[in-house]
Every structure is written in C-alpha cells, then in structure tokens.
Amino acid sequence: MTSRTLRILTVSFFFLATAASSLAAQKQGMSHQHLKPETAALIERLKSGGHVLVVRHERTNAFIPDDREFEIGSCETQRNLSVAGHANALENGAVIRFLKLPVGKVFASPMCRTLETARLMFGRVEANETLFGRGTDPDTERSTFEALILEGARQEQNTVLVTHLGTYSAALGGHLAEGDTAVFSVSDGKPEFLGVVPANGWNDAIIDATMHSGRMDAEPKHN
C-alpha cells in the first residue's frame, strides 16, 4: 500500500466517522445551539427585568469619519450608521421584542449614531450627555455613568444606555465592538458586569429560539 493510498483511506475514514457521529446525534435528538451557553444564560436573565444594557452604537461608515470640528446637532459632520448598521439595529430590536425582554427607559449619547441606534432598536430614546462623556474629567465620567447603571438596575424593566467605546472604556473599562451589548446588575451598591451579548448574538438567539419551538410566531409589538 502506497503512502498516497494510505492518506486517502485515512481521510475517507475521518469523514465517514464524522458523518456517523452526526447521524447518531440526530437519532438521539440532540439539537445544535448557536449561542454560547453563557450568552444564552445571560439573555435568559434579562427576561426578569431589573438589568442595564449598555449598547455600543451599531456599525458605522468608517469611510466618513467625524469632522474635526463636528457639531452634536449636525449629522452631516459625524460618522453615522452604515447600511449594515441600520439593518442590524432594526433586526436586533425585532429579536429583543420577539424574545419578550422587558425594556423600559432608553437613553443615548446625543451623537447621531447613538440616537439612531436606539430609535431603530427600541422605537424611542432620550438623549443623555453622560453617555457622550467627552470633555469631563475621568472621575466625574465614571461616577455619573455608574449612577445611571445603579438607577437603571432599580427599575422593574431593563434599562438601555447607548454609548461610545471611548465613553464605555473610560467609565467602566473593557471593550465593546460596534453593536455589542454589555449587561450589568448591581452588587454591594456597585455596578456588576455580567457579560456581553455580541452584535450577532441576538440573531443567534432567535435562530435557537425558533429551532427549539419549531415555528416562528408573529413578531410582538414595541414594549
């Protein structure tokens, strides 16, 4: 038996074994889950309300950055949502409603990309300067941001804060990609970080939910 023939037989055996394993799993009724278990558990916790979702705005058009002298009230001078970011915000909002996650107040930085993300996802928003954050000293930025989380976590429903990476990192540490959602509760009077639902995590959540139910129900209306 030549070495080439041996390699072919080895590869063939691998694929046959993989196929057999897949068929055995199907016979045992095992279902594939797209979400990581910890992300699925995090989303499940949100059904009880009383959490704070800190969302970095959705994907933006990186080819058109903020002007050096941008104006908060002028979207033409800012880096705004891309076509993909617009679509993702709409889809993620639809998933949150489909999963019946209770959402109460929605706040966002007064920049256009954050306000638009909030409106597309939740249908409503209130501008909040704390979520913009630039121009304040680090201690004040951190304390005011933490105060928003503490207040939000006291509510019956979940509170949403849509912000920027720089503001989030300065106030709370860590990193969020565009469209990511960090989830917080409160422990010993301080914000407690529970984890991140990645930007594509909401889509995976609805895939898993519809796979398990076997059907797609009609989309619920806005909260």
Side-chain angles (χ1 to χ4, degrees), residues 108-208:
S109 157
M111 292 288 281
C112 293
R113 54 184 174 267
T114 42
L115 290 172
E116 186 175 20
T117 297
R119 289 193 189 102
L120 291 171
M121 288 184 71
F122 304 102
R124 63 191 184 280
V125 64
E126 181 179 334
N128 188 295
E129 290 286 345
T130 296
L131 300 174
F132 178 62
R134 304 177 193 182
T136 59
D137 69 88
D139 289 339
T140 300
E141 191 170 329
R142 188 178 303 109
S143 62
T144 53
F145 205 121
E146 288 184 352
L148 280 178
I149 293 178
L150 296 178
E151 175 63 25
R154 286 195 288 266
Q155 307 306 310
E156 184 176 348
Q157 297 179 308
N158 298 305
T159 298
V160 178
L161 309 176
V162 185
T163 189
H164 309 269
L165 174 59
T167 310
Y168 176 82
S169 296
L172 302 169
H175 182 275
L176 291 177
E178 291 185 325
D180 282 359
T181 298
V183 179
F184 289 83
S185 63
V186 174
S187 177
D188 295 327
K190 300 287 289 183
E192 179 184 17
F193 172 74
L194 300 179
V196 172
V197 180
N200 66 339
W202 298 111
N203 192 62
D204 284 343
I206 203 167
I207 292 173
D208 287 347

Side-chain angles (χ1 to χ4, degrees), residues 69-75 77-78 109-112 115 129 132:
E69 301 298 329
F70 69 85
E71 299 175 17
I72 286 184
S74 174
C75 295
T77 65
Q78 300 175 30
S109 157
M111 292 288 281
C112 293
L115 290 172
E129 290 286 345
F132 178 62

Side-chain angles (χ1 to χ4, degrees), residues 55-64 79-92 112-114 116-118 120-121 162-163 176-180 198-200:
V55 182
R56 183 182 174 191
H57 59 75
E58 261 295 349
R59 288 176 58 179
T60 54
N61 187 348
F63 294 101
I64 306 177
R79 187 178 91 248
N80 297 307
L81 296 190
S82 64
V83 173
H86 189 283
N88 289 347
L90 283 172
E91 289 184 355
N92 289 344
C112 293
R113 54 184 174 267
T114 42
E116 186 175 20
T117 297
L120 291 171
M121 288 184 71
V162 185
T163 189
L176 291 177
E178 291 185 325
D180 282 359
N200 66 339

Side-chain angles (χ1 to χ4, degrees), residues 13-36:
F13 175 78
F14 171 77
F15 281 112
L16 285 171
T18 302
S21 175
S22 177
L23 287 171
Q26 291 178 23
K27 288 181 179 179
Q28 295 173 14
M30 295 174 64
S31 61
H32 181 71
Q33 180 169 307
H34 294 78
L35 284 175
K36 292 180 179 179

